[in-house]
Amino acid sequence: MNKSSETGTLISFEGVEGCGKSTQIVLLVERLRAAGREVVVSREPGATPLGSELRKLLLDPAHNPDSLTELLLYLADRREHLRLVIAPALQRGALVLVDRYVDSTWVYQGFARDGVEISLLESLNRLVVGDHWPQLTFLLDCPALKGLKRARERNRATGEEGVADRFEQRHLDFHNRVRRGFLTLAEAEKERFRVVDAGREIEMIHNDIWLEFSLKYAIS
Ligand code: TYD
C-alpha cells in the first residue's frame, strides 16, 4: 500500500445517523460519472467479505463490547477495506468516495463515549491507514434528533421497522455528542472539511456539495 505512486483522490462523507450521506453520495456519483470520471463508492463498516462479517457483529444489539474492542473491530474492517478496495482504486487513479472513515472512529469510539483515549485512538487510526487520509471530507450536519427520525423512517421503508442497530438504539445524548464531535473536528481542520447544512431539501444539499467539489477539483 504505497501511497507515493497513487494518483487517485480519497473523499469521505461523515455525519450523524440519518443525515443523508448515502443519498448525497449517489447524486454526486451520477454527476461525476456523467462527467466521465472513474468513481469508486464504498462505505464502512462492511465493504469487503471479512468486513461484512465484522459489520454484522458490530451492529448487532446482542453484543456490547467495550470501547477498545469496538475500536479494534472497526480498525480491522478499515485495514481490510484499505487493502482490498481503497488503495487499489487510488493506484488506478480513481476518485474514491467513502461513506464514513477515520473521523467516525474518532467521534464514535473516542469523543462521544467515555472510552479510548483520543491520543491512542489517533495513533491506531494512523497505524491502520498511514498516509491514506481523506483529501476532502463533507460533514453533513443536522440535529441528531432529526437524523434519528430519518433513520427510523428509512428502517420502516426497508421493512426493518423495530430493528434499530446497536448505534441507533443509543440515547439522544450520545447522538448529540456525535454531532458535536464532528463539528469539533471540522473546526480543527478547516482545510479538509466542508460542513454542509443537511437539514434542507436534498437538491439544495447536493448543489452545495457539487459547488464545493467542482471548485476544489476544477470540474464543470
Ligand atoms: P450504518 O448503518 O452504515 O449507519 P449510517 O448509515 O449512519 O452510516 O452503520 C454504521 C455505524 O457504525 C454507525 O452507527 C456509525 C458506526 N461507526 C463507528 O462507530 N465507528 C467507525 O469507525 C465507523 C466507520 C462507523
Side-chain angles (χ1 to χ4, degrees), residues 17 21 55 74 78 100 104-105 108-109 154 167:
E17 316 289 317
K21 290 177 279 92
R55 180 182 172 90
Y74 274 108
R78 178 157 308 135
R100 297 198 183 280
S104 276
T105 312
Y108 280 83
Q109 278 67 54
R154 180 187 60 197
F167 288 87

Side-chain angles (χ1 to χ4, degrees), residues 176-195:
N176 284 330
R177 283 201 300 279
V178 167
R179 183 188 189 195
R180 271 210 313 284
F182 280 125
L183 288 170
T184 303
L185 276 178
E187 186 60 31
E189 278 190 72
K190 289 205 173 85
E191 268 295 294
R192 172 164 69 94
F193 275 89
R194 301 288 180 279
V195 181

Side-chain angles (χ1 to χ4, degrees), residues 101-157:
Y101 193 52
V102 287
D103 302 308
S104 276
T105 312
W106 193 92
V107 168
Y108 280 83
Q109 278 67 54
F111 187 94
R113 63 181 286 184
D114 273 344
V116 184
E117 209 184 299
I118 293 280
S119 60
L120 174 63
L121 186 152
E122 285 174 348
S123 309
L124 291 171
N125 232 349
R126 278 282 177 193
L127 172 73
V128 167
V129 304
D131 289 339
H132 295 88
W133 215 253
Q135 275 121 309
L136 178 66
T137 298
F138 286 104
L139 170 56
L140 272 66
D141 178 57
C142 76
L145 186 58
K146 187 166 187 154
L148 283 173
K149 281 186 181 152
R150 273 202 213 139
R152 231 160 268 149
E153 279 161 23
R154 180 187 60 197
N155 291 350
R156 206 173 301 138

Side-chain angles (χ1 to χ4, degrees), residues 1-70:
M1 288 186 279
N2 176 9
K3 172 102 172 75
S4 58
S5 59
E6 288 172 358
T7 53
T9 305
L10 178 59
I11 296 173
S12 59
F13 288 74
E14 301 280 5
V16 294
E17 316 289 317
C19 66
K21 290 177 279 92
S22 337
T23 308
Q24 291 302 327
I25 290 174
V26 169
L27 293 174
L28 181 60
V29 170
E30 278 171 5
R31 206 151 168 181
L32 286 167
R33 288 198 176 135
R37 298 289 300 253
E38 187 199 347
V39 188
V40 171
V41 185
S42 201
R43 68 160 183 184
E44 289 192 1
T48 62
L50 175 62
S52 98
E53 298 300 317
L54 291 171
R55 180 182 172 90
K56 280 184 221 147
L57 294 171
L58 277 162
L59 301 187
D60 186 346
H63 305 301
N64 187 23
D66 74 2
S67 47
L68 182 58
T69 301
E70 193 175 276

